[in-house]
Coordinates of all heavy atoms in Angstrom, one line a residue:
Y1 N 0.8 -1.2 0.0 CA 0.0 0.0 0.0 C 0.9 1.3 0.0 O 0.6 2.2 -0.7 CB -0.9 0.0 1.2 CG -1.9 1.1 1.3 CD1 -2.5 1.7 0.2 CD2 -2.3 1.6 2.6 CE1 -3.4 2.7 0.3 CE2 -3.2 2.6 2.7 CZ -3.8 3.1 1.6 OH -4.7 4.1 1.7
E2 N 1.9 1.2 0.8 CA 2.9 2.4 0.8 C 3.5 2.6 -0.6 O 3.6 3.8 -1.0 CB 4.0 2.1 1.8 CG 4.9 3.3 1.9 CD 6.2 3.0 2.8 OE1 6.8 1.9 2.5 OE2 6.5 3.8 3.7
R3 N 3.9 1.5 -1.2 CA 4.4 1.7 -2.6 C 3.3 2.2 -3.5 O 3.6 3.1 -4.4 CB 4.8 0.3 -3.2 CG 5.8 -0.5 -2.3 CD 7.2 0.1 -2.2 NE 7.3 0.9 -1.0 CZ 8.3 1.6 -0.7 NH1 9.4 1.7 -1.4 NH2 8.4 2.3 0.5
G4 N 2.1 1.8 -3.4 CA 1.1 2.2 -4.3 C 0.7 3.6 -4.1 O 0.2 4.3 -5.1
A5 N 0.8 4.1 -2.9 CA 0.3 5.5 -2.6 C 1.2 6.6 -3.3 O 0.8 7.7 -3.5 CB 0.4 5.8 -1.1
Q6 N 2.3 6.1 -3.8 CA 3.2 7.1 -4.5 C 2.7 7.6 -5.8 O 3.1 8.6 -6.3 CB 4.6 6.4 -4.7 CG 5.3 6.1 -3.3 CD 6.6 5.3 -3.5 OE1 7.0 5.1 -4.6 NE2 7.2 4.9 -2.4
S7 N 1.7 6.9 -6.3 CA 1.1 7.3 -7.6 C -0.5 7.5 -7.5 O -1.2 7.5 -8.5 CB 1.4 6.3 -8.7 OG 0.9 5.0 -8.4
T8 N -1.0 7.6 -6.2 CA -2.4 7.8 -6.0 C -2.9 9.1 -6.6 O -3.9 9.2 -7.3 CB -2.8 7.7 -4.5 OG1 -2.4 6.4 -4.0 CG2 -4.2 8.0 -4.3
A9 N -2.1 10.2 -6.4 CA -2.5 11.5 -7.0 C -1.3 11.8 -7.9 O -0.3 12.4 -7.5 CB -2.6 12.5 -5.9
P10 N -1.4 11.5 -9.2 CA -0.3 11.6 -10.1 C 0.2 13.1 -10.3 O 1.4 13.2 -10.7 CB -0.8 11.0 -11.4 CG -2.3 11.2 -11.3 CD -2.6 11.0 -9.9
M11 N -0.6 14.1 -10.0 CA -0.2 15.4 -10.2 C 0.8 15.9 -9.1 O 1.4 17.0 -9.3 CB -1.4 16.4 -10.3 CG -2.3 16.1 -11.6 SD -1.5 16.6 -13.1 CE -1.6 18.4 -12.9
L12 N 0.8 15.2 -8.0 CA 1.7 15.6 -6.9 C 3.1 15.2 -7.3 O 3.4 14.0 -7.5 CB 1.3 14.9 -5.6 CG 0.0 15.4 -5.0 CD1 -0.3 14.6 -3.8 CD2 0.1 16.9 -4.6
K13 N 4.0 16.2 -7.3 CA 5.4 15.9 -7.5 C 6.0 15.1 -6.4 O 6.9 14.2 -6.5 CB 6.2 17.2 -7.8 CG 5.8 17.9 -9.1 CD 6.6 19.1 -9.3 CE 6.2 19.8 -10.7 NZ 7.0 21.0 -10.9
T14 N 5.7 15.5 -5.2 CA 6.1 14.8 -4.0 C 4.8 14.5 -3.2 O 4.2 15.4 -2.6 CB 7.1 15.6 -3.1 OG1 8.2 16.0 -3.9 CG2 7.6 14.8 -1.9
H15 N 4.5 13.2 -3.1 CA 3.2 12.8 -2.4 C 3.2 13.3 -1.0 O 2.2 13.6 -0.4 CB 3.0 11.3 -2.5 CG 1.6 10.9 -2.2 ND1 0.6 11.2 -3.1 CD2 1.1 10.2 -1.2 CE1 -0.5 10.7 -2.6 NE2 -0.3 10.1 -1.4
A16 N 4.4 13.3 -0.3 CA 4.4 13.6 1.1 C 4.0 15.1 1.3 O 3.6 15.4 2.4 CB 5.9 13.4 1.6
S17 N 4.1 15.9 0.3 CA 3.7 17.3 0.5 C 2.3 17.5 0.9 O 1.9 18.4 1.5 CB 4.0 18.1 -0.8 OG 3.2 17.7 -1.9
L18 N 1.4 16.5 0.5 CA 0.0 16.6 0.8 C -0.2 16.5 2.3 O -0.9 17.3 2.9 CB -0.7 15.4 0.2 CG -2.2 15.2 0.5 CD1 -3.0 16.2 -0.2 CD2 -2.6 13.8 0.2
W19 N 0.6 15.6 3.0 CA 0.4 15.4 4.4 C 1.0 16.7 5.1 O 0.5 17.1 6.2 CB 1.2 14.2 4.9 CG 1.0 13.0 4.0 CD1 2.0 12.3 3.3 CD2 -0.2 12.3 3.7 NE1 1.4 11.3 2.6 CE2 0.1 11.2 2.8 CE3 -1.5 12.5 4.1 CZ2 -0.9 10.4 2.3 CZ3 -2.5 11.6 3.6 CH2 -2.2 10.6 2.7
D20 N 2.1 17.2 4.6 CA 2.6 18.4 5.2 C 1.6 19.6 5.2 O 1.5 20.4 6.1 CB 3.9 18.8 4.5 CG 5.1 17.9 4.7 OD1 5.1 17.3 5.8 OD2 5.9 17.7 3.8
R21 N 0.9 19.7 4.1 CA -0.1 20.8 3.9 C -1.2 20.6 4.9 O -1.8 21.6 5.5 CB -0.6 20.8 2.5 CG 0.4 21.4 1.5 CD -0.1 21.4 0.1 NE 0.9 21.9 -0.8 CZ 0.8 23.0 -1.6 NH1 -0.3 23.7 -1.5 NH2 1.8 23.4 -2.4
V22 N -1.7 19.3 5.1 CA -2.7 19.1 6.1 C -2.2 19.5 7.5 O -2.9 20.1 8.3 CB -3.1 17.6 6.1 CG1 -4.1 17.3 7.2 CG2 -3.7 17.2 4.7
R23 N -1.0 19.0 7.9 CA -0.4 19.4 9.2 C -0.4 20.9 9.3 O -0.8 21.4 10.4 CB 1.0 18.8 9.3 CG 1.6 19.2 10.7 CD 3.1 18.9 10.6 NE 3.8 19.6 9.6 CZ 4.3 20.9 9.7 NH1 4.0 21.6 10.9 NH2 4.9 21.5 8.8
M24 N 0.1 21.6 8.3 CA 0.1 23.1 8.4 C -1.2 23.7 8.7 O -1.4 24.6 9.5 CB 0.8 23.7 7.2 CG 2.3 23.3 7.0 SD 3.0 23.9 5.4 CE 2.6 25.6 5.5
Q25 N -2.2 23.2 7.9 CA -3.6 23.8 8.1 C -4.1 23.5 9.5 O -4.7 24.4 10.2 CB -4.5 23.1 7.1 CG -4.3 23.6 5.7 CD -5.2 24.8 5.4 OE1 -5.9 25.3 6.2 NE2 -5.0 25.3 4.2
A26 N -3.8 22.3 10.0 CA -4.3 21.9 11.3 C -3.6 22.7 12.4 O -4.3 23.3 13.3 CB -4.1 20.4 11.6
M27 N -2.3 22.8 12.3 CA -1.6 23.6 13.4 C -1.9 25.1 13.4 O -2.0 25.7 14.4 CB -0.1 23.4 13.2 CG 0.4 21.9 13.3 SD 0.1 21.3 15.0 CE 1.4 22.1 15.9
Q28 N -2.1 25.6 12.2 CA -2.4 27.0 12.1 C -3.8 27.3 12.6 O -4.0 28.4 13.2 CB -2.3 27.5 10.6 CG -0.8 27.6 10.1 CD -0.7 27.8 8.6 OE1 -1.8 28.0 7.9 NE2 0.5 27.8 8.1
R29 N -4.7 26.4 12.3 CA -6.1 26.7 12.7 C -6.4 26.3 14.2 O -7.4 26.7 14.8 CB -7.0 25.8 11.8 CG -7.1 26.4 10.4 CD -7.9 25.4 9.5 NE -8.0 25.9 8.2 CZ -9.0 26.6 7.7 NH1 -10.0 27.1 8.5 NH2 -9.0 27.0 6.5
A30 N -5.5 25.5 14.8 CA -5.7 25.1 16.2 C -5.9 26.3 17.1 O -6.7 26.2 18.0 CB -4.6 24.2 16.7
G31 N -5.1 27.3 16.9 CA -5.3 28.6 17.7 C -4.9 28.5 19.2 O -5.3 29.3 20.0
T32 N -4.2 27.4 19.5 CA -3.7 27.3 20.9 C -2.5 26.4 20.9 O -2.1 25.9 19.8 CB -4.8 26.6 21.7 OG1 -4.4 26.5 23.1 CG2 -5.1 25.2 21.2
E33 N -1.8 26.3 22.0 CA -0.7 25.4 22.1 C -1.1 24.0 22.0 O -2.0 23.5 22.7 CB 0.0 25.6 23.4 CG 1.3 24.7 23.6 CD 2.0 24.9 24.9 OE1 1.5 25.6 25.8 OE2 3.0 24.2 25.1
V34 N -0.6 23.3 21.0 CA -1.0 21.9 20.7 C -0.1 20.9 21.5 O 1.1 20.9 21.3 CB -1.0 21.6 19.2 CG1 -1.3 20.1 18.9 CG2 -1.9 22.5 18.4

């Protein structure tokens, strides 16, 4: 599954960037010390 996830969203140059963007959204929106 990990191998397969590398081409799930073919337009992503680096699949890991998706997860980084989610983390950034979550941390920015938390509005408190997490």
Side-chain angles (χ1 to χ4, degrees):
Y1 184 35
E2 182 190 48
R3 306 293 95 181
Q6 296 172 8
S7 60
T8 297
M11 292 290 287
L12 290 176
K13 292 182 179 178
T14 304
H15 197 69
S17 65
L18 175 75
W19 318 118
D20 290 329
R21 287 175 182 246
V22 175
R23 177 193 61 83
M24 289 173 61
Q25 288 273 357
M27 297 296 288
Q28 290 170 3
R29 290 173 179 270
T32 185
E33 182 183 3
V34 176

